[in-house]
Amino acid sequence: MAAEQALALVVRGTDWSETSRITTLFTLEFGKVRALAKGGRRLKSNFDCAFDLLTVCRVVFLRKASGGLDLLTEARMEERFPVLRTNLPALYAGYYVAELLSDGTQDYDPHPELFEAALGTLRDLGNGADTRDAATGFELVWLRELGYSPRLDACATCGADVVPAGAARAAFSPAAGGALCPTCGPAAPDRRWLSAAGLAALRDLAEPPDRGGGLPVLSPGVRAELRPLLGQTVSFVLGRRPRLLGYVDG
């Protein structure tokens, strides 16, 4: 077994014995990795981090060829987000990011942009960003990286204009994969309605993010439209409603 090195975000952890811990990591280099840290609960070990959720670590692990748990041999803490521990809404939003990474990605399927978006979102939350706007930005990157980015330029069903001249709103269907025209919209049982302003904001947010530009500030009206729509879309892709979603949206 060859040793691998990676930069990892801890997204799940469970105690395995009195001294060891099973941890799920989302890594920059390899995607999701599930590994056993033998002795990870001891005060003195090869690990200088406790594998707390949302801790960024530089890890060394042995990859198991049989498909079982990998074996962590070293871990060095690189970054923590202590401000989240003093802000409960921000902490819940961080846990929501961890849930989507843990439950919504495949083992050894690397997504460097998703990893960077996760760290950027946690840093934004630590700097006081609105938790709902931070969640919205991350959800759209998650959807795009998994291949479920909604179609917004034309009707996801027939390709017609989504908002023809004179129309004040457009339909959106997670099952159909995006925005729908006035003909296809009423036939979609899971449709939601978006104002022209809401659709324009969603189109802007769906573009590849520029982390250097910071998070966009959404108006209360647009935010009220987008949050349930994206929550429904994420739930459709995940196959269930995320456990932390209600805590993010209040």
Side-chain angles (χ1 to χ4, degrees), residues 33-125:
V33 173
R34 292 178 289 181
L36 174 64
K38 290 185 177 180
R41 299 181 65 196
R42 293 195 185 110
L43 293 178
K44 294 183 178 180
S45 70
N46 291 333
F47 312 114
D48 73 353
C49 62
F51 299 111
D52 294 332
L53 282 179
L54 308 182
T55 300
V56 182
C57 304
R58 181 74 60 178
V59 300
V60 178
F61 63 96
L62 301 177
R63 186 169 176 177
K64 292 292 186 67
S66 61
L69 290 172
D70 296 330
L71 181 63
L72 276 170
T73 60
E74 297 178 36
R76 185 181 70 252
M77 187 177 66
E78 293 281 320
E79 185 175 1
R80 301 185 75 174
F81 306 95
V83 175
L84 301 187
R85 309 294 171 177
T86 64
N87 183 330
L88 193 57
L91 182 62
Y92 282 145
Y95 286 165
Y96 178 57
V97 169
E99 181 180 3
L100 294 187
L101 293 175
S102 175
D103 295 352
T105 61
Q106 299 297 316
D107 293 353
Y108 284 98
D109 182 19
H111 290 275
E113 185 175 324
L114 186 56
F115 179 87
E116 296 294 346
L119 265 57
T121 300
L122 295 174
R123 290 166 184 154
D124 288 337
L125 290 167

Coordinates of all heavy atoms in Angstrom, one line a residue, residues 33-125:
V33 N -12.7 10.7 1.1 CA -11.9 9.5 1.6 C -12.4 9.2 3.0 O -12.6 10.1 3.8 CB -10.4 9.9 1.7 CG1 -9.6 8.8 2.4 CG2 -9.8 10.2 0.3
R34 N -12.7 7.9 3.2 CA -13.1 7.4 4.5 C -12.0 6.6 5.1 O -11.5 5.6 4.5 CB -14.4 6.6 4.4 CG -15.6 7.5 4.0 CD -16.9 6.7 3.9 NE -16.8 5.9 2.7 CZ -17.8 5.1 2.3 NH1 -18.9 5.0 3.0 NH2 -17.7 4.4 1.2
A35 N -11.6 6.9 6.3 CA -10.4 6.3 6.8 C -10.5 6.1 8.3 O -11.2 6.7 9.1 CB -9.1 7.2 6.5
L36 N -9.7 5.2 8.8 CA -9.6 4.8 10.2 C -8.3 5.5 10.8 O -7.2 5.3 10.2 CB -9.5 3.3 10.4 CG -9.2 2.8 11.9 CD1 -10.4 3.2 12.8 CD2 -9.0 1.3 11.8
A37 N -8.5 6.2 11.9 CA -7.3 6.8 12.6 C -7.1 6.0 13.8 O -7.7 6.3 14.9 CB -7.6 8.3 12.9
K38 N -6.2 5.1 13.8 CA -5.9 4.3 14.9 C -5.2 5.1 16.0 O -4.1 5.7 15.7 CB -5.1 3.0 14.6 CG -5.8 2.0 13.8 CD -5.0 0.8 13.5 CE -5.8 -0.3 12.8 NZ -4.9 -1.5 12.5
G39 N -5.7 5.1 17.2 CA -5.1 5.9 18.2 C -5.5 7.4 18.1 O -4.9 8.2 18.8
G40 N -6.4 7.7 17.2 CA -6.8 9.1 17.0 C -7.4 9.8 18.1 O -7.5 11.0 18.2
R41 N -7.9 9.0 19.1 CA -8.5 9.6 20.3 C -7.5 9.7 21.5 O -7.9 10.2 22.5 CB -9.7 8.8 20.7 CG -10.8 8.7 19.6 CD -12.0 7.9 20.1 NE -12.7 8.6 21.2 CZ -13.5 8.0 22.0 NH1 -13.8 6.7 21.8 NH2 -14.1 8.7 23.0
R42 N -6.3 9.2 21.3 CA -5.3 9.3 22.4 C -4.8 10.8 22.5 O -4.7 11.5 21.5 CB -4.1 8.4 22.1 CG -4.5 6.9 22.2 CD -3.2 6.1 22.3 NE -3.5 4.6 22.3 CZ -3.2 3.8 21.3 NH1 -2.6 4.4 20.2 NH2 -3.4 2.6 21.4
L43 N -4.4 11.2 23.6 CA -3.8 12.5 23.8 C -2.5 12.6 23.1 O -2.1 13.6 22.6 CB -3.6 12.8 25.3 CG -4.9 13.0 26.1 CD1 -4.6 13.2 27.6 CD2 -5.8 14.1 25.5
K44 N -1.7 11.5 23.1 CA -0.4 11.5 22.4 C -0.5 10.5 21.2 O -0.7 9.3 21.4 CB 0.7 11.1 23.4 CG 1.0 12.1 24.5 CD 2.1 11.6 25.4 CE 2.4 12.7 26.4 NZ 3.6 12.3 27.3
S45 N -0.4 11.0 20.0 CA -0.4 10.2 18.8 C 0.2 10.9 17.7 O 0.8 12.0 17.9 CB -1.9 9.9 18.5 OG -2.5 11.1 18.0
N46 N 0.2 10.3 16.5 CA 0.7 10.9 15.3 C -0.2 12.0 14.7 O 0.1 12.6 13.7 CB 1.0 9.9 14.2 CG 2.1 8.9 14.6 OD1 3.0 9.3 15.3 ND2 2.0 7.7 14.0
F47 N -1.3 12.3 15.4 CA -2.3 13.2 14.9 C -2.3 14.5 15.8 O -2.6 14.3 17.0 CB -3.7 12.6 14.8 CG -3.7 11.3 14.2 CD1 -4.0 10.1 14.9 CD2 -3.3 11.1 12.8 CE1 -4.0 8.9 14.3 CE2 -3.3 9.9 12.2 CZ -3.7 8.8 12.9
D48 N -2.0 15.6 15.3 CA -2.0 16.8 16.1 C -3.4 17.6 16.0 O -3.5 18.7 16.4 CB -0.9 17.8 15.8 CG -1.0 18.5 14.5 OD1 -2.0 18.2 13.7 OD2 -0.2 19.4 14.2
C49 N -4.4 16.9 15.4 CA -5.7 17.4 15.4 C -6.7 16.4 15.8 O -6.4 15.2 15.7 CB -6.1 17.9 14.0 SG -6.1 16.6 12.7
A50 N -7.8 16.8 16.4 CA -8.8 15.9 17.0 C -9.8 15.4 16.0 O -10.8 14.8 16.3 CB -9.4 16.5 18.2
F51 N -9.6 15.7 14.7 CA -10.6 15.4 13.6 C -12.0 15.9 13.9 O -13.0 15.3 13.7 CB -10.6 13.9 13.4 CG -9.3 13.3 13.0 CD1 -8.6 12.5 13.8 CD2 -8.8 13.6 11.7 CE1 -7.4 12.0 13.4 CE2 -7.6 13.1 11.3 CZ -6.9 12.3 12.1
D52 N -12.0 17.1 14.5 CA -13.3 17.8 14.7 C -13.9 18.2 13.3 O -13.1 18.5 12.4 CB -13.1 19.1 15.6 CG -12.7 18.7 17.0 OD1 -13.1 17.6 17.5 OD2 -12.0 19.6 17.6
L53 N -15.2 18.2 13.2 CA -15.8 18.7 12.0 C -15.3 20.0 11.6 O -15.1 20.9 12.5 CB -17.3 18.7 12.2 CG -18.1 17.4 12.1 CD1 -19.6 17.6 12.3 CD2 -17.8 16.7 10.8
L54 N -15.1 20.2 10.3 CA -14.7 21.5 9.7 C -13.3 21.9 10.0 O -12.9 23.1 9.9 CB -15.7 22.6 10.1 CG -17.2 22.3 9.9 CD1 -18.0 23.6 10.3 CD2 -17.5 22.0 8.5
T55 N -12.5 20.9 10.4 CA -11.1 21.2 10.6 C -10.3 20.8 9.3 O -10.6 19.8 8.6 CB -10.5 20.3 11.7 OG1 -11.2 20.7 12.9 CG2 -9.0 20.6 11.9
V56 N -9.4 21.7 8.8 CA -8.6 21.4 7.6 C -7.3 20.8 8.1 O -6.6 21.4 8.9 CB -8.4 22.7 6.8 CG1 -7.6 22.4 5.6 CG2 -9.7 23.4 6.5
C57 N -6.9 19.7 7.5 CA -5.7 19.0 8.0 C -4.9 18.6 6.7 O -5.4 18.3 5.7 CB -6.1 17.7 8.7 SG -7.1 17.9 10.2
R58 N -3.6 18.5 6.9 CA -2.7 17.9 6.0 C -2.5 16.4 6.4 O -2.1 16.2 7.5 CB -1.4 18.6 5.9 CG -0.4 18.0 4.9 CD -0.7 18.3 3.5 NE -0.8 19.8 3.2 CZ -1.1 20.3 2.0 NH1 -1.3 19.5 1.0 NH2 -1.1 21.6 1.8
V59 N -2.9 15.4 5.6 CA -3.0 14.1 6.1 C -2.1 13.2 5.2 O -1.8 13.5 4.0 CB -4.4 13.5 6.1 CG1 -5.3 14.3 7.0 CG2 -5.0 13.5 4.7
V60 N -1.7 12.1 5.8 CA -1.0 11.0 5.1 C -1.8 9.7 5.4 O -2.2 9.5 6.6 CB 0.4 10.8 5.6 CG1 1.1 9.6 4.9 CG2 1.2 12.1 5.3
F61 N -2.1 8.9 4.4 CA -3.0 7.8 4.6 C -2.5 6.7 3.6 O -1.9 6.9 2.6 CB -4.4 8.1 4.4 CG -4.8 8.5 3.0 CD1 -5.4 7.6 2.1 CD2 -4.7 9.9 2.7 CE1 -5.7 8.0 0.8 CE2 -5.1 10.3 1.4 CZ -5.6 9.4 0.5
L62 N -2.8 5.4 4.0 CA -2.6 4.3 3.2 C -3.9 3.8 2.6 O -4.9 3.6 3.3 CB -2.0 3.1 4.1 CG -0.7 3.4 4.8 CD1 -0.3 2.2 5.7 CD2 0.4 3.7 3.8
R63 N -3.9 3.8 1.3 CA -5.1 3.5 0.5 C -5.3 2.0 0.4 O -4.4 1.3 0.0 CB -5.1 4.1 -0.9 CG -6.4 4.0 -1.7 CD -6.3 4.9 -2.9 NE -7.4 4.7 -3.7 CZ -7.7 5.4 -4.9 NH1 -6.8 6.3 -5.2 NH2 -8.7 5.2 -5.6
K64 N -6.5 1.5 0.9 CA -6.8 0.1 0.8 C -7.3 -0.4 -0.5 O -8.2 0.2 -1.1 CB -7.8 -0.3 1.9 CG -7.3 -0.1 3.3 CD -6.3 -1.2 3.6 CE -5.9 -1.1 5.1 NZ -6.9 -1.6 6.0
A65 N -6.6 -1.3 -1.1 CA -7.0 -1.8 -2.5 C -8.3 -2.5 -2.5 O -9.1 -2.6 -3.4 CB -5.9 -2.7 -3.1
S66 N -8.7 -3.1 -1.3 CA -9.9 -3.9 -1.2 C -11.2 -3.1 -1.2 O -12.3 -3.6 -1.3 CB -9.9 -4.8 0.0 OG -9.8 -4.0 1.2
G67 N -11.1 -1.8 -1.0 CA -12.3 -1.0 -1.0 C -12.8 -0.7 0.4 O -13.8 -0.1 0.6
G68 N -12.1 -1.2 1.4 CA -12.4 -0.9 2.8 C -11.9 0.4 3.3 O -11.6 1.3 2.4
L69 N -12.0 0.6 4.6 CA -11.5 1.9 5.1 C -10.0 2.1 4.8 O -9.2 1.2 5.0 CB -11.8 2.0 6.6 CG -13.2 2.1 7.0 CD1 -13.3 2.0 8.6 CD2 -13.8 3.5 6.6
D70 N -9.6 3.3 4.4 CA -8.2 3.6 4.3 C -7.6 3.8 5.8 O -8.4 3.9 6.7 CB -8.0 4.9 3.5 CG -8.4 4.7 2.1 OD1 -8.3 3.6 1.6 OD2 -8.9 5.7 1.5
L71 N -6.3 3.8 5.9 CA -5.7 3.9 7.2 C -4.9 5.2 7.3 O -4.0 5.5 6.5 CB -4.7 2.8 7.4 CG -4.0 2.7 8.8 CD1 -5.0 2.6 9.9 CD2 -3.0 1.6 8.8
L72 N -5.3 6.1 8.2 CA -4.6 7.4 8.4 C -3.4 7.1 9.2 O -3.5 6.4 10.3 CB -5.5 8.4 9.1 CG -6.5 9.2 8.3 CD1 -7.5 9.9 9.2 CD2 -5.8 10.2 7.4
T73 N -2.3 7.7 8.8 CA -1.0 7.5 9.6 C -0.5 8.8 10.2 O 0.2 8.8 11.2 CB 0.1 6.9 8.7 OG1 0.3 7.7 7.6 CG2 -0.4 5.5 8.2
E74 N -0.8 9.9 9.5 CA -0.4 11.2 10.1 C -1.5 12.3 9.7 O -2.2 12.2 8.7 CB 0.9 11.7 9.4 CG 2.1 10.8 9.7 CD 3.3 11.3 9.0 OE1 3.5 12.6 8.9 OE2 4.1 10.5 8.5
A75 N -1.6 13.3 10.6 CA -2.5 14.4 10.3 C -1.9 15.6 11.0 O -1.6 15.6 12.2 CB -3.9 14.1 10.8
R76 N -1.8 16.7 10.3 CA -1.4 18.0 10.8 C -2.4 19.1 10.5 O -2.8 19.3 9.4 CB 0.0 18.4 10.2 CG 0.6 19.6 10.8 CD 1.9 20.0 10.2 NE 1.8 20.5 8.8 CZ 2.1 19.8 7.8 NH1 2.6 18.6 7.9 NH2 1.9 20.4 6.6
M77 N -2.8 19.7 11.6 CA -3.9 20.8 11.4 C -3.3 21.9 10.6 O -2.2 22.4 10.8 CB -4.4 21.3 12.7 CG -5.6 22.2 12.6 SD -6.2 22.7 14.2 CE -4.8 23.7 14.8
E78 N -4.1 22.4 9.6 CA -3.7 23.5 8.7 C -4.6 24.7 9.0 O -4.1 25.9 8.9 CB -3.9 23.1 7.3 CG -2.9 22.1 6.8 CD -1.5 22.6 6.5 OE1 -1.4 23.8 6.0 OE2 -0.5 22.0 6.9
E79 N -5.9 24.5 9.3 CA -6.8 25.7 9.4 C -8.0 25.2 10.2 O -8.5 24.1 10.1 CB -7.2 26.2 8.1 CG -8.0 27.5 8.1 CD -8.3 28.0 6.7 OE1 -7.9 27.4 5.7 OE2 -9.0 29.1 6.6
R80 N -8.5 26.1 11.1 CA -9.7 26.0 11.8 C -10.5 27.2 11.6 O -10.0 28.3 11.2 CB -9.4 25.7 13.3 CG -8.6 24.5 13.6 CD -8.5 24.1 15.0 NE -9.7 23.6 15.5 CZ -9.8 23.1 16.8 NH1 -8.8 23.2 17.6 NH2 -11.0 22.6 17.2
F81 N -11.8 27.1 12.0 CA -12.7 28.3 11.9 C -13.3 28.6 13.2 O -14.5 28.3 13.4 CB -13.7 27.9 10.8 CG -13.1 27.5 9.5 CD1 -13.0 26.2 9.2 CD2 -12.7 28.5 8.6 CE1 -12.4 25.8 8.0 CE2 -12.1 28.1 7.4 CZ -12.0 26.7 7.1
P82 N -12.6 29.1 14.2 CA -13.1 29.3 15.5 C -14.3 30.2 15.7 O -15.1 30.0 16.6 CB -11.8 29.8 16.3 CG -11.0 30.4 15.2 CD -11.2 29.6 14.0
V83 N -14.4 31.1 14.8 CA -15.5 32.1 14.8 C -16.8 31.3 14.7 O -17.9 31.7 15.3 CB -15.4 33.2 13.8 CG1 -16.6 34.1 13.8 CG2 -14.1 34.0 14.0
L84 N -16.9 30.2 13.9 CA -18.1 29.5 13.8 C -18.6 28.9 15.1 O -19.8 28.7 15.3 CB -17.9 28.3 12.8 CG -17.4 28.7 11.3 CD1 -17.4 27.5 10.4 CD2 -18.3 29.8 10.8
R85 N -17.7 28.6 16.0 CA -18.1 28.1 17.3 C -18.8 29.1 18.2 O -19.4 28.7 19.2 CB -16.8 27.5 18.0 CG -16.0 26.6 17.2 CD -16.6 25.3 16.8 NE -15.8 24.5 15.9 CZ -16.2 23.3 15.4 NH1 -17.3 22.8 15.9 NH2 -15.4 22.7 14.5
T86 N -18.7 30.3 17.8 CA -19.4 31.4 18.6 C -20.6 31.9 17.9 O -21.2 32.8 18.4 CB -18.4 32.5 18.9 OG1 -18.0 33.2 17.7 CG2 -17.1 32.0 19.6
N87 N -20.9 31.4 16.8 CA -22.1 31.9 16.0 C -22.8 30.7 15.5 O -22.5 30.0 14.5 CB -21.5 32.7 14.8 CG -22.6 33.3 13.9 OD1 -23.8 32.8 13.8 ND2 -22.4 34.4 13.3
L88 N -23.9 30.4 16.2 CA -24.7 29.1 15.9 C -25.2 29.0 14.5 O -25.1 28.0 13.9 CB -25.8 28.9 17.0 CG -26.4 27.6 17.0 CD1 -25.4 26.5 17.3 CD2 -27.5 27.5 18.1
P89 N -25.9 30.1 14.0 CA -26.3 30.0 12.6 C -25.2 29.7 11.6 O -25.4 28.9 10.7 CB -27.0 31.4 12.3 CG -27.4 31.8 13.7 CD -26.3 31.3 14.6
A90 N -24.0 30.3 11.8 CA -22.9 30.1 10.9 C -22.4 28.7 11.1 O -22.0 28.0 10.1 CB -21.8 31.1 11.2
L91 N -22.4 28.2 12.3 CA -21.9 26.8 12.5 C -22.9 25.8 11.8 O -22.4 24.8 11.2 CB -21.9 26.5 14.0 CG -21.4 25.1 14.4 CD1 -20.0 24.9 14.0 CD2 -21.5 24.9 15.9
Y92 N -24.2 26.0 11.9 CA -25.1 25.1 11.2 C -24.9 25.2 9.7 O -25.0 24.2 9.0 CB -26.6 25.6 11.5 CG -27.0 25.1 12.9 CD1 -27.9 25.9 13.6 CD2 -26.7 23.9 13.4 CE1 -28.4 25.5 14.9 CE2 -27.1 23.5 14.7 CZ -28.0 24.3 15.4 OH -28.4 23.9 16.6
A93 N -24.6 26.4 9.2 CA -24.4 26.5 7.7 C -23.1 25.7 7.4 O -23.0 25.1 6.3 CB -24.2 28.0 7.3
G94 N -22.1 25.8 8.2 CA -20.8 25.0 8.0 C -21.1 23.5 8.0 O -20.6 22.8 7.2
Y95 N -21.9 23.1 9.0 CA -22.3 21.7 9.0 C -23.1 21.2 7.8 O -23.0 20.1 7.4 CB -23.1 21.4 10.3 CG -22.3 21.4 11.6 CD1 -23.0 21.5 12.8 CD2 -20.9 21.3 11.6 CE1 -22.2 21.4 14.0 CE2 -20.2 21.3 12.8 CZ -20.9 21.4 14.0 OH -20.2 21.3 15.1
Y96 N -23.9 22.2 7.3 CA -24.6 21.9 6.0 C -23.7 21.7 4.9 O -23.9 20.7 4.1 CB -25.6 23.1 5.7 CG -26.4 22.9 4.5 CD1 -27.2 21.9 4.3 CD2 -26.3 23.9 3.5 CE1 -28.0 21.8 3.1 CE2 -27.1 23.8 2.3 CZ -27.9 22.7 2.1 OH -28.6 22.6 1.0
V97 N -22.6 22.5 4.8 CA -21.6 22.2 3.8 C -21.0 20.8 3.9 O -20.8 20.1 3.0 CB -20.5 23.3 3.9 CG1 -19.3 23.0 3.0 CG2 -21.1 24.7 3.4
A98 N -20.7 20.5 5.2 CA -20.1 19.2 5.5 C -21.0 18.0 5.1 O -20.6 17.0 4.5 CB -19.7 19.1 6.9
E99 N -22.3 18.2 5.3 CA -23.3 17.2 5.0 C -23.4 17.0 3.5 O -23.4 15.8 3.0 CB -24.7 17.6 5.5 CG -25.8 16.5 5.2 CD -27.1 16.9 5.7 OE1 -27.3 18.0 6.3 OE2 -28.1 16.1 5.6
L100 N -23.4 18.0 2.7 CA -23.4 17.9 1.2 C -22.2 17.2 0.7 O -22.2 16.4 -0.2 CB -23.6 19.2 0.6 CG -25.0 19.9 0.8 CD1 -25.1 21.2 0.0 CD2 -26.2 19.0 0.6
L101 N -21.0 17.5 1.3 CA -19.8 16.9 0.9 C -19.8 15.4 1.3 O -19.3 14.5 0.5 CB -18.6 17.6 1.5 CG -18.4 19.0 1.0 CD1 -17.2 19.7 1.7 CD2 -18.1 19.1 -0.5
S102 N -20.2 15.1 2.5 CA -20.2 13.7 3.0 C -21.2 12.8 2.3 O -20.9 11.7 1.9 CB -20.4 13.7 4.5 OG -20.5 12.4 5.0
D103 N -22.4 13.3 2.1 CA -23.5 12.5 1.6 C -23.8 12.7 0.1 O -24.4 11.8 -0.5 CB -24.8 12.8 2.4 CG -24.7 12.4 3.8 OD1 -23.7 11.8 4.2 OD2 -25.6 12.7 4.6
G104 N -23.2 13.7 -0.4 CA -23.6 14.1 -1.8 C -22.4 13.9 -2.8 O -22.5 14.4 -3.9
T105 N -21.3 13.3 -2.4 CA -20.2 13.0 -3.3 C -19.8 11.5 -3.2 O -20.1 10.9 -2.3 CB -19.0 13.9 -3.0 OG1 -18.6 13.6 -1.7 CG2 -19.4 15.4 -3.1
Q106 N -19.1 11.1 -4.2 CA -18.6 9.7 -4.3 C -17.2 9.6 -3.8 O -16.4 10.5 -3.9 CB -18.7 9.2 -5.7 CG -20.1 9.2 -6.3 CD -21.1 8.3 -5.6 OE1 -20.7 7.1 -5.2 NE2 -22.3 8.8 -5.3
D107 N -16.9 8.4 -3.3 CA -15.5 8.1 -2.9 C -14.5 8.3 -4.0 O -14.8 7.9 -5.2 CB -15.4 6.7 -2.3 CG -16.1 6.5 -1.0 OD1 -16.6 7.5 -0.4 OD2 -16.2 5.4 -0.5
Y108 N -13.4 8.9 -3.8 CA -12.3 9.1 -4.8 C -12.8 9.7 -6.1 O -12.5 9.2 -7.2 CB -11.6 7.7 -5.0 CG -10.7 7.4 -3.8 CD1 -11.1 6.5 -2.8 CD2 -9.5 8.0 -3.7 CE1 -10.3 6.2 -1.7 CE2 -8.6 7.7 -2.7 CZ -9.0 6.8 -1.7 OH -8.2 6.6 -0.6
D109 N -13.6 10.7 -6.0 CA -14.1 11.5 -7.1 C -13.7 12.9 -6.9 O -14.5 13.7 -6.3 CB -15.6 11.3 -7.3 CG -16.1 12.1 -8.5 OD1 -15.3 12.4 -9.4 OD2 -17.3 12.3 -8.6
P110 N -12.5 13.3 -7.3 CA -12.0 14.6 -6.9 C -12.7 15.8 -7.6 O -13.0 15.7 -8.8 CB -10.5 14.6 -7.3 CG -10.4 13.5 -8.3 CD -11.5 12.5 -8.0
H111 N -13.0 16.8 -6.8 CA -13.6 18.0 -7.4 C -12.8 19.2 -6.7 O -13.3 19.8 -5.7 CB -15.1 18.1 -7.0 CG -15.9 17.1 -7.8 ND1 -16.4 17.4 -9.1 CD2 -16.3 15.9 -7.4 CE1 -17.1 16.3 -9.5 NE2 -17.1 15.4 -8.5
P112 N -11.7 19.6 -7.3 CA -10.9 20.7 -6.6 C -11.7 22.0 -6.5 O -11.5 22.7 -5.5 CB -9.7 20.9 -7.6 CG -9.6 19.5 -8.3 CD -11.0 19.0 -8.4
E113 N -12.5 22.3 -7.4 CA -13.3 23.6 -7.3 C -14.3 23.5 -6.2 O -14.5 24.5 -5.5 CB -14.0 23.9 -8.6 CG -14.8 25.2 -8.6 CD -15.4 25.6 -9.9 OE1 -14.8 25.3 -11.0 OE2 -16.5 26.2 -9.9
L114 N -14.9 22.3 -6.0 CA -15.8 22.1 -4.9 C -15.1 22.2 -3.5 O -15.6 22.8 -2.6 CB -16.5 20.8 -5.0 CG -17.6 20.5 -4.0 CD1 -18.7 21.6 -4.0 CD2 -18.3 19.1 -4.3
F115 N -13.9 21.7 -3.5 CA -13.1 21.8 -2.2 C -12.8 23.2 -1.9 O -13.0 23.7 -0.8 CB -11.8 21.0 -2.4 CG -10.9 21.0 -1.2 CD1 -11.0 20.1 -0.2 CD2 -9.9 22.0 -1.1 CE1 -10.2 20.2 0.9 CE2 -9.0 22.1 0.0 CZ -9.2 21.2 1.0
E116 N -12.4 24.0 -2.9 CA -12.0 25.4 -2.7 C -13.3 26.2 -2.4 O -13.2 27.1 -1.5 CB -11.4 26.0 -4.0 CG -10.0 25.4 -4.3 CD -9.0 25.7 -3.3 OE1 -9.2 26.5 -2.4 OE2 -7.9 25.0 -3.3
A117 N -14.4 25.8 -3.0 CA -15.7 26.5 -2.6 C -16.1 26.3 -1.2 O -16.6 27.2 -0.5 CB -16.8 26.1 -3.6
A118 N -15.8 25.0 -0.7 CA -16.2 24.7 0.7 C -15.3 25.6 1.6 O -15.9 26.2 2.6 CB -15.9 23.2 0.9
L119 N -14.0 25.6 1.4 CA -13.2 26.4 2.3 C -13.5 27.9 2.2 O -13.6 28.6 3.2 CB -11.7 26.2 1.9 CG -11.0 25.1 2.8 CD1 -11.6 23.8 2.7 CD2 -9.5 25.1 2.3
G120 N -13.8 28.4 1.0 CA -14.2 29.8 0.8 C -15.5 30.1 1.5 O -15.6 31.2 2.1
T121 N -16.4 29.2 1.5 CA -17.7 29.4 2.2 C -17.5 29.4 3.7 O -18.1 30.3 4.4 CB -18.7 28.2 1.8 OG1 -18.9 28.3 0.4 CG2 -20.0 28.4 2.5
L122 N -16.7 28.5 4.2 CA -16.4 28.5 5.7 C -15.7 29.8 6.1 O -16.0 30.4 7.1 CB -15.6 27.3 6.0 CG -16.3 25.9 5.8 CD1 -15.3 24.8 6.1 CD2 -17.5 25.8 6.7
R123 N -14.8 30.3 5.3 CA -14.1 31.6 5.6 C -15.1 32.7 5.5 O -15.1 33.6 6.3 CB -13.0 31.8 4.6 CG -11.8 30.8 4.8 CD -10.8 30.8 3.7 NE -9.8 29.8 3.8 CZ -9.1 29.2 2.8 NH1 -9.4 29.6 1.6 NH2 -8.2 28.3 3.1
D124 N -16.0 32.7 4.5 CA -17.0 33.8 4.4 C -17.9 33.8 5.6 O -18.2 34.8 6.2 CB -17.9 33.6 3.1 CG -17.1 33.9 1.9 OD1 -16.1 34.7 1.9 OD2 -17.5 33.4 0.8
L125 N -18.3 32.6 6.1 CA -19.1 32.5 7.3 C -18.4 33.0 8.5 O -19.0 33.7 9.3 CB -19.6 31.0 7.5 CG -20.6 30.4 6.5 CD1 -20.7 28.9 6.6 CD2 -21.9 31.1 6.7

